[in-house]
Amino acid sequence: MPRTEAVPSNTAEETGKGRCACIIAHPQDDDQRARVRAALDNALATNDAHAVLVVCMQLLPPCPARYEVVAR
């Protein structure tokens, strides 16, 4: 049976922005931000200090993929 690989739904060409290549990936669109906020709510509700730290690192800048390179 041939192997199939998942294709990301939003490529960099479609969104016009680069993908986050950080070790702890930052959310790049509203759907991803909503998932990260839900993870933060869950971490706070369950008193999971490590998850709170990781989620806060995801939400805080800087992320190089958010900034567009301007040719001069």
Side-chain angles (χ1 to χ4, degrees):
M1 183 172 245
R3 294 178 63 187
T4 58
E5 294 185 23
V7 177
S9 60
N10 291 340
T11 62
E13 294 82 22
E14 291 174 0
T15 60
K17 294 182 180 179
R19 297 187 78 113
C20 179
C22 299
I23 293 173
I24 297 177
H26 297 89
Q28 297 298 309
D29 59 18
D30 292 334
D31 184 45
Q32 291 175 354
R33 276 187 213 86
R35 281 188 256 147
V36 171
R37 283 190 206 113
L40 178 59
D41 291 340
N42 182 44
L44 291 171
T46 59
N47 291 325
D48 187 350
H50 291 106
V52 170
L53 177 66
V54 170
V55 171
C56 287
M57 290 172 65
Q58 284 181 299
L59 292 172
L60 295 174
C63 177
R66 291 186 185 176
Y67 306 110
E68 295 181 24
V69 177
V70 178
R72 295 181 188 233

